[in-house]
Amino acid sequence: MGITNSNKVINMDRIGCDGSLRVTLALTAAPDIVSHPTDIVLVLDCSGSMAGAPLASMKEGAKTFIDIIEEATDGAMDGQIGSGSRIGIVSFAESASVDAQLITSVDTLKAAVDSLSAGGSTNHADAFATATELFNPPSGNAKVMVMFTDGNTTAGIPPAPVAAAARAQGIIIYCIGLVGADGVDVDTLNDWATDPDATHVAVTPDAADLEALFAQLAANISNPGATNLVIDEIVTSDFEITSITPPAKGTASMLDARSLRWTIPQLGVTASESATLEFFVRHVGQTPGTKLVNESITYSDTEGNVVTFPEPMVVVECDVVVYPEECPVPVDVAVEGCSDAVVVDASDTYLESQGRIIQLDVTIKNVCPYKRVALAVILTEVDENGLEYQRGMKTLTIPAHNYPSCRDVLVKCIKFVVPEDLDVSGGPVGAMCNQRNFRARFIAHNIDTDYRCCESTVTL
């Protein structure tokens, strides 16, 4: 069956500017459908919410699925599913019915799909129970159930125990979900499907995608198991990989701060088998927004399986950051293992003035959009008796931001130089290392209500 499913998920959809998240890659592979015949039951939702385009797209997807399995089992489009494999059809609304037993006739299967109509509530428990009965008496074939639905359960008993009983009988359950009029609960689909969820559940908001989802699943089911798997992952420049959890199957290693390689000698060669890899990434970019996590991900194996991974996106929320003064340029230094010393050319720096340098950062809370802020910073030095002495004041204009709501604004690198000859610490006169105590006060006011109101045009 080859790679029967692949997925890539992240554990949260929103992080802070320096936030981290967990990424999970997952693959499922199974043996060749020719040498390992398979009984497949398509379980199709025909409730009222499927009326119209969703039902039409589901029918096309189911028939495409049947065509791909037919060709894969005997290498020809001869109207028969070969090599001992069979397909059955179960439809359901307020109750489930068998539209086609496990058979090999492609025309009969497609006619059963074409005859489906939409109407009524949604009874998933009866659908699972009816589909499970199709596998009796056991044939010795592998058993696969493909559940398609567009909504939540609205009739019958809770379906989770019925799906669990099916899995206990060795039935592999895949779930395809359409975000339809009723919505679809992905956690519920995960509960019904065979583990891992990432490789056995697929959801789309667009009925037009259904044919492609059915086709991909059929193509993967019909391919052979995979050997010499190599997955190369590169995250975007806004992220870096911080750690990799050693996988249960294969080995994974970081190639650099943004890339990793996961290799698996074989997967699903003798039986259906899944593999997952977890790694953690941290956002290192300076800007907010909705961002792709991976720049690219490639897959290869000896059998030539084609695998496509999703491209998850995360919303990054950053405070507004303002640099009123130029910050020093950092110099990166790397010390290799077992090195006793390192020599680094840090280039040039220039003497600005004499004295110690105090650098202050301050966050101005709840600055609303389109409002400039006047910020005053007053620095004093405190002597041993608690008396304060002026050491400087700076006034800054903080530019307005255009976020849709009020935001915190981080103002960085406000620098003061405090000469040593003004030391009032009470320590030795002329010493360069006395402990000196300072106190900073910040005053912030809106300059105007909305800077856009003050724009004007002059015509000469």
Side-chain angles (χ1 to χ4, degrees), residues 60-140:
E60 291 304 314
K63 289 188 290 185
T64 298
F65 183 99
I66 293 166
D67 284 338
I68 292 172
I69 297 299
E70 175 198 359
E71 184 175 12
T73 53
D74 58 13
M77 302 294 285
D78 57 3
Q80 293 292 321
I81 297 170
S83 304
S85 293
R86 301 177 295 175
I87 294 178
I89 307 291
V90 169
S91 63
F92 67 97
E94 63 269 10
S95 62
S97 61
V98 177
D99 300 279
Q101 298 286 338
L102 286 166
I103 58 176
T104 61
S105 170
V106 170
D107 287 343
T108 303
L109 289 167
K110 288 185 176 181
V113 171
D114 282 330
S115 68
L116 298 178
S117 58
S121 52
T122 309
N123 189 336
H124 292 108
D126 198 30
F128 279 121
T130 302
T132 301
E133 282 300 312
L134 276 190
F135 294 107
N136 292 321
S139 66

Side-chain angles (χ1 to χ4, degrees), residues 194-265:
T194 298
D195 290 332
D197 303 332
T199 58
H200 291 81
V201 176
V203 176
T204 177
D206 190 348
D209 293 339
L210 291 180
E211 186 174 359
L213 288 181
F214 275 101
Q216 182 179 2
L217 179 57
N220 286 333
I221 287 175
S222 61
N223 287 332
T227 58
N228 300 318
L229 295 78
V230 179
I231 300 95
D232 286 321
E233 160 85 13
I234 302 176
V235 299
T236 66
S237 58
D238 282 327
F239 294 90
E240 65 179 13
I241 301 171
T242 56
S243 66
I244 301 173
T245 302
K249 295 188 181 299
T251 59
S253 59
M254 289 178 58
L255 304 180
D256 54 44
R258 291 178 49 214
S259 62
L260 61 81
R261 173 168 294 170
W262 182 22
T263 59
I264 307 172

Side-chain angles (χ1 to χ4, degrees), residues 298-345:
T298 59
Y299 171 92
S300 65
D301 62 28
T302 301
E303 289 68 31
N305 285 293
V306 177
V307 175
T308 301
F309 288 92
E311 298 183 340
M313 304 185 77
V314 63
V315 176
V316 179
E317 296 180 328
C318 298
D319 289 337
V320 178
V321 180
V322 174
Y323 293 87
E325 298 181 291
E326 184 177 345
C327 284
V329 177
V331 176
D332 294 327
V333 178
V335 181
E336 297 181 359
C338 299
S339 296
D340 294 327
V342 61
V343 178
V344 176
D345 181 0

Side-chain angles (χ1 to χ4, degrees), residues 119-202:
S121 52
T122 309
N123 189 336
H124 292 108
D126 198 30
F128 279 121
T130 302
T132 301
E133 282 300 312
L134 276 190
F135 294 107
N136 292 321
S139 66
N141 286 0
K143 295 177 285 189
V144 171
M145 187 185 301
V146 179
M147 160 65 78
F148 165 80
T149 185
D150 79 328
N152 299 313
T153 300
T154 58
I157 64 175
V162 187
R167 295 195 306 271
Q169 296 180 34
I171 300 171
I172 299 170
I173 299 178
Y174 293 92
C175 291
I176 297 175
L178 172 66
V179 183
D182 274 344
V184 63
D185 188 337
V186 177
D187 290 336
T188 298
L189 299 185
N190 291 341
D191 190 31
W192 296 343
T194 298
D195 290 332
D197 303 332
T199 58
H200 291 81
V201 176

